[in-house]
Amino acid sequence: MSFLTTSILLGLMTLPNIGLVLMTNPVKAQTNSENPSTLTPDVPRSQVTPSYPASAPPPQVQPLPDERNLEERSIETDYRVSNLLKDFKGNLWVGYWRGLSRIDPKTGKILARVNLPNVAIGALAQDKVGRLWVGTYEGLMRVDPRTNEITAQNLFLPSKRVLSMLVDKRGYLWVGTDSGLALISPDQGLIMTTVKNLPGVSANTLTLDAEGQLWVGTLDGLVRVNTTNAYIMKRIDSLPGTTVQTLAISPEGLIWAGMANNLLVIDPKTDKVLRSVTPLRGRNVTAIKFAQDGSVWVGTNNGLLRLNPHTGALLDQVAGLPSSRVLALVPDISNKLWIGTSEGLAWLMPKMNGAKPHLAFSRAVK
């Protein structure tokens, strides 16, 4: 329950113009002293003309048509869309395992791409003045959305592997890693506090309650952290199933906690589990979002569901996803629900029979 207060400089190394620099080493042509033109005229030309043995040509480097599908499905090609973020201007940021892009959710058009030195994105957040924070598996970066350039980066976290991020009501940035929490001042570039001895160690997911306090989903239940001083206020560790993978606060202030085999509704005031949502028992819950129409969207490792938040009754099950493994959700943006899956990005509108893939972020469908 202890925390280490620090005021070390965030390691924000100003990077005014980061880009990919292609370095080449031109090789000078070497002079061959045995070039035929320099040989004496009395040498027979048959002795200086190269001859090749009769053999098959070397194998083709480019894959043949029937091999391209195998190459497409190779482990190097990863279509995971693991993070989605709606910014202040209504654009959608798409964090996927090949980069970061900003799209117009009305048309689906890609507006910008950000060149990242590490593309394994673990979390996205936008601070009070509009700067974009990108948590990767190699640290934290700050992006100026006006120029789409990386303006700063930080490696002085409890761990470089960033799993979750959240901006609290005061405007401070909380960064969850697999080894604890860090509280950061986005303006001054300071790590204000680190919470390394976090019960459950890994800060898998973050959310704010109605009082502005931070709830952290860990490997061993839930922890409530005071956002003013980073003190741990309470711990809920007697949950059916321990690892909390995703969190959401309902309009009534209840905690919805997605776990590897359950979806629990918890009263934060009494710390009691009010119910286990029946349609999700035994299912791996990976994402939870409340929509403006009052329903709740729940992504799992095997499909996307829409539930009645009051009764837990199943209202809808979405077909047509690029993959049944849902990783991220953003509802109510340009009258669409945006869905990140392990095989790409998709969107859904009311009264549609199924989701539609965004072809720029999904595996090509033949």
Side-chain angles (χ1 to χ4, degrees):
M1 295 178 63
S2 64
F3 66 93
L4 174 63
T5 304
T6 65
S7 294
I8 62 173
L9 188 62
L10 177 61
L12 290 179
M13 299 175 289
T14 302
L15 304 172
N17 187 13
I18 290 186
L20 180 63
V21 179
L22 180 63
M23 301 185 66
T24 59
N25 294 314
V27 180
K28 295 181 179 180
Q30 296 181 353
T31 303
N32 188 346
S33 60
E34 297 184 0
N35 190 288
S37 62
T38 64
L39 295 177
T40 55
D42 57 343
V43 177
R45 189 162 189 80
S46 61
Q47 295 183 19
V48 297
T49 303
S51 62
Y52 301 99
S55 62
Q60 188 174 352
V61 176
Q62 295 295 329
L64 297 173
D66 59 343
E67 296 174 338
R68 288 175 187 155
N69 189 43
L70 295 177
E71 183 181 75
E72 172 92 343
R73 298 178 180 276
S74 67
I75 193 170
E76 290 81 8
T77 306
D78 199 322
Y79 290 86
R80 266 179 286 184
V81 174
S82 53
N83 288 271
L84 299 172
L85 177 71
K86 178 183 178 180
D87 67 16
F88 299 153
K89 294 184 177 180
N91 295 317
L92 180 69
W93 290 88
V94 181
Y96 56 112
W97 280 51
R98 292 190 292 164
L100 175 66
S101 295
R102 177 165 51 94
I103 69 173
D104 181 348
K106 294 179 182 179
T107 63
K109 180 181 178 181
I110 296 177
L111 302 175
R113 288 187 174 93
V114 180
N115 233 347
L116 299 178
N118 183 283
V119 295
I121 298 174
L124 295 173
Q126 189 174 29
D127 63 26
K128 296 288 186 179
V129 297
R131 293 167 299 202
L132 193 71
W133 293 84
V134 184
T136 76
Y137 286 5
E138 292 294 333
L140 182 65
M141 289 176 286
R142 189 180 68 197
V143 174
D144 185 342
R146 297 169 299 180
T147 62
N148 301 308
E149 293 181 345
I150 299 169
T151 56
Q153 61 184 6
N154 169 262
L155 306 178
F156 301 103
L157 300 169
S159 165
K160 290 182 181 180
R161 191 180 178 94
V162 177
L163 303 177
S164 56
M165 286 196 296
L166 179 148
V167 176
D168 67 20
K169 291 186 176 181
R170 299 178 304 159
Y172 290 106
L173 178 69
W174 291 86
V175 179
T177 75
D178 60 359
S179 296
L181 274 170
L183 172 61
I184 293 173
S185 168
D187 296 328
Q188 299 176 4
L190 296 176
I191 292 183
M192 310 293 291
T193 303
T194 58
V195 186
K196 291 187 177 180
N197 296 327
L198 184 71
V201 183
S202 180
N204 300 328
T205 177
L206 307 174
T207 193
L208 288 178
D209 61 22
E211 298 177 5
Q213 305 298 359
L214 182 71
W215 284 89
V216 186
T218 75
L219 298 174
D220 192 22
L222 287 168
V223 176
R224 191 186 193 209
V225 177
N226 190 315
T227 52
T228 302
N229 53 28
Y231 282 120
I232 294 175
M233 304 172 69
K234 65 169 63 176
R235 179 182 180 184
I236 305 176
D237 56 5
S238 57
L239 301 176
T242 56
T243 300
V244 178
Q245 302 179 143
T246 182
L247 287 172
I249 301 291
S250 75
E252 297 78 24
L254 301 177
I255 299 174
W256 286 57
M259 313 182 81
N261 60 355
N262 220 331
L263 175 59
L264 304 178
V265 181
I266 301 166
D267 186 339
K269 296 180 180 179
T270 63
D271 303 344
K272 291 184 178 180
V273 177
L274 300 181
R275 69 177 183 269
S276 169
V277 181
T278 303
L280 277 303
R281 289 176 185 169
R283 302 185 70 165
N284 190 340
V285 178
T286 54
I288 309 167
K289 291 291 182 180
F290 286 86
Q292 291 177 357
D293 64 3
S295 60
V296 57
W297 291 99
V298 180
T300 74
N301 255 17
N302 190 25
L304 175 61
L305 313 175
R306 186 169 67 95
L307 305 177
N308 182 320
H310 305 293
T311 65
L314 178 62
L315 301 177
D316 194 14
Q317 187 158 354
V318 179
L321 296 173
S323 165
S324 60
R325 185 183 174 199
V326 177
L327 303 177
L329 297 170
V330 172
D332 304 313
I333 175 171
S334 296
N335 200 32
K336 299 181 184 73
L337 169 73
W338 290 88
I339 309 134
T341 78
S342 61
E343 289 290 335
L345 179 67
W347 55 273
L348 177 71
M349 294 183 70
K351 298 182 180 180
M352 283 177 56
N353 294 327
K356 299 293 184 182
H358 191 300
L359 299 181
F361 298 97
S362 301
R363 192 182 299 277
V365 179
K366 297 181 179 180

